[in-house]
């Protein structure tokens, strides 16, 4: 079964966040490197808009990466960027292929998580996502802000990246669903709405979600801690 990865970047602010070095390396480069251990270099692509492609290519080149960059045919949306990535990788809707969708906001996600997602996806199902148990106490509140109850957190999970899709499932999500309101497509939510079979694997507690540049110091601290 073919295994590949797409890193979609569809907004200028996302490209800025993904390409500015943090602790010596751009988040985009970290994300790409995290999947290169489990996916061949030729099967990884960064998918973006024509106006942003130059910045993305320069970032990858500066990091010593030869990862390809696919561009949308027009101004583009996330849906169109993922389609461009799939077309560049020559992934067709009905072939046995697994596709990782990566996110620059999770630059510390490990190759082990990516490998786990691919293994689980090959075992069956349409979608596989890495998750972590919710450890914080969660409350419900009313309109006035008064606490009503404590939510049972034993069944709650937070979802990380990379997220794995079969080729047929991902093509369905970017091609067949209604376009209204999906310019900012969230493939995972769309998969749930479509009734696809979604499985989970253990995530990485150290793979914090980073909103850059706001979380630059946090990310640098976590990286420094890993080095120590």
């Amino acid at each position: 079964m073919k295994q590949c990865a797409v890193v979609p970047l569809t907004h200028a602010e996302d490209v800025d966040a993904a390409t500015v070095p943090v602790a010596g390396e751009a988040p985009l480069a970290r994300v790409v490197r995290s999947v290169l251990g489990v996916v061949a270099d030729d099967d990884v692509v960064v998918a973006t808009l024509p106006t942003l492609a130059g910045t993305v290519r320069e970032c990858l080149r500066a990091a010593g990466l030869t990862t390809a960059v696919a561009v949308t045919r027009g101004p583009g949306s996330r849906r169109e960027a993922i389609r461009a990535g799939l077309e560049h990788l020559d992934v067709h809707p009905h072939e046995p292929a697994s596709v990782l969708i990566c996110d620059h906001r999770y630059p510390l996600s490990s190759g082990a998580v990516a490998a786990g997602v691919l293994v689980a996806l090959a075992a069956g199902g349409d979608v596989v996502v890495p998750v972590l148990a919710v450890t914080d106490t969660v409350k419900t509140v009313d309109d006035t802000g008064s606490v009503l109850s404590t939510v049972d957190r034993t069944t709650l999970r937070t979802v990380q990246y990379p997220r794995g899709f079969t080729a047929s499932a991902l093509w369905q999500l970017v091609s067949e669903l209604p376009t209204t309101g999906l310019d900012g497509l969230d493939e995972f939510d769309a998969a749930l709405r479509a009734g696809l079979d979604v499985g989970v694997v253990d995530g990485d507690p150290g793979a914090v979600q980073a909103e850059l540049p706001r979380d630059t110091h946090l990310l640098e601290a976590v990286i420094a801690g890993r080095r120590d």
Side-chain angles (χ1 to χ4, degrees):
M1 177 183 291
K2 181 173 183 176
Q3 297 179 330
C4 48
V6 179
V7 189
L9 290 169
T10 53
H11 300 286
E13 55 268 30
D14 291 338
V15 171
D16 290 343
T19 58
V20 175
V22 176
E25 187 165 44
L28 175 60
R30 292 182 185 275
V31 168
V32 170
R33 291 191 201 282
S34 73
V35 296
L36 284 179
V38 294
V39 177
D41 184 42
D42 290 344
D43 292 324
V44 181
V45 64
V46 181
T48 191
L49 280 55
T51 55
L52 304 174
T55 302
V56 171
R57 289 192 181 98
E58 179 56 34
C59 173
L60 294 169
R61 190 162 47 242
L65 296 167
T66 59
T67 305
V69 177
V71 298
T72 60
R73 293 187 177 89
S77 63
R78 182 175 176 89
R79 172 194 297 271
E80 292 163 346
I82 293 174
R83 285 177 60 98
L86 293 174
E87 290 167 357
H88 175 88
L89 294 167
D90 200 28
V91 173
H92 303 287
H94 302 297
E95 71 173 292
S98 298
V99 185
L100 293 174
I101 297 295
C102 305
D103 194 304
H104 69 282
R105 296 171 301 171
Y106 289 82
L108 301 185
S109 185
S110 67
V113 171
V117 170
L118 289 173
V119 168
L121 199 59
D126 302 310
V127 183
V128 175
V129 297
V131 298
L132 293 175
V134 174
T135 57
D136 292 333
T137 299
V138 180
K139 304 292 185 182
T140 59
V141 298
D142 62 18
D143 293 339
T144 67
S146 297
V147 174
L148 298 178
S149 64
T150 300
V151 177
D152 178 7
R153 64 189 181 196
T154 58
T155 60
L156 299 180
R157 300 292 186 270
T158 58
V159 182
Q160 297 181 313
Y161 282 88
R163 301 171 181 179
F165 301 79
T166 62
S168 58
L170 191 55
W171 270 112
Q172 175 186 343
L173 297 175
V174 300
S175 301
E176 299 176 8
L177 295 179
T179 57
T180 304
L182 285 178
D183 188 58
L185 176 70
D186 182 319
E187 310 82 43
F188 179 62
D189 285 346
L192 294 175
R193 290 196 302 271
L196 297 181
D197 182 7
V198 180
V200 301
V201 296
D202 291 338
D204 180 355
V208 295
Q209 178 180 341
E211 297 294 340
L212 300 172
R214 184 194 67 189
D215 295 332
T216 297
H217 294 308
L218 170 63
L219 196 56
E220 288 176 337
V222 173
I223 293 170
R226 287 187 169 188
R227 289 172 179 168
D228 294 340

